[in-house]
Amino acid sequence: MRLIKISGEGISSGEVSESELGVGKPYVAVIGGSGLYDPGIFEEPVEVQLHTPYGLPSDNVIIGRVKGEWVAFLPRHGRGHRYPPHKIPYRANIWALKALGARVILSISAVGSLRQDYAPGDFVVPDQFVDMTKNREYTFYDGPRVCHVQIGLEPFSNDLRRLIIESASKYNKTHDSGCYVCIEGPRFSTKAESRIWRDVYGCDIIGMTLVPEVNLARELGMCYALLAVITDYDIWVPHQPVTAELVEKTMGEKLDLAKRVMTEVIPRIPKDVHLKCQETLKNACV
Ligand SMILES: CSC[C@H]1O[C@H](OP(=O)(O)O)[C@H](O)[C@@H]1O
Ligand SMILES: Nc1ncnc2[nH]cnc12
């Protein structure tokens, strides 16, 4: 695959030009989670290595066409799963995708379930989250410009969620809402913690990577939605305890379906309308 290298200087204006890129600008980016390191759905793929003000992203971004549309793909843990959730360069990842032209992010993640009726193998398209992470780089606005983005009512883009739900439901059992609790990791929860996330916080699914990815995207005015693949029942009832191996195995079984959903959704994303989530920086800065 052809490799295009772009240095920090090339993006000082905030965005890579089409001529620097040498291919069409991707409007949609896909971030792949555990088990998804190479989507294999692209025509004419190129690899782009992009230096950002926050360092290198998790990996080179792959840009290629899906049904005629230019799309960017980034494996959040890097190929070979080299970055644990608390060490992922989230700011570099989101910044790079925006600089390459992306305005919309479709994310894929493995999650544990915190309720009986959300079973391993099912899909969930979450609509809320609770942040229990402890030590990450949460914002692009570290001062002197101080901004507080509004993310409360619609942390995930409902426009995108609708498209994903419509497509995913055709191929797999899909839950059209859910609250994702994001823990720091990299260890899994204790049974006592798992019961708190479920019974006290009222969360439905659990993972380690949503935060700060989702709020960084919002800070740059990008729309974000997640197709979550349930891989296990976490640890809140006595059962087969979650392991990384179990997560990757279940994810592997559902990967083709998840890719099919992405391939179907990408060309349906409207480009000429102003999506709601792109307005949230209004009145956010002090
Ligand atoms: C490999 S097991 C735990 C790992 O899987 C999930 O990652 P992702 O959201 O990127 O699919 C979870 O959040 C943990 O990082
Ligand atoms: N049970 C679980 N806890 C945290 N992250 C996960 N990713 C997949 N399953 C998980």
Side-chain angles (χ1 to χ4, degrees), residues 176-190:
D176 64 9
S177 63
C179 179
Y180 176 129
V181 58
C182 190
I183 58 168
E184 179 67 6
R187 69 170 175 84
F188 292 109
S189 301
T190 63

Side-chain angles (χ1 to χ4, degrees), residues 2 4-6 10 15-25 100:
R2 186 158 63 92
I4 300 164
K5 292 188 179 181
I6 302 174
E15 216 170 293
V16 178
S17 66
E18 207 153 313
S19 58
E20 266 174 301
L21 201 51
V23 291
K25 279 208 171 192
L100 291 170

Side-chain angles (χ1 to χ4, degrees), residues 31-35 37 76-77 81 83-86 88 90 107-111 180 182-183 186 188 206-210 213 226 231-232 242-245 247-248 251:
I31 299 184
S34 297
Y37 312 107
R76 109 172 15 99
H77 300 275
H81 207 108
Y83 290 98
H86 61 296
I88 289 171
Y90 293 101
S107 164
I108 300 185
S109 270
V111 296
Y180 176 129
C182 190
I183 58 168
F188 292 109
I206 180 166
M208 304 177 191
T209 61
L210 178 69
E213 203 171 86
L226 171 65
T231 53
D232 54 86
V242 55
T243 62
E245 196 183 354
V247 170
E248 293 227 308
M251 193 67 186

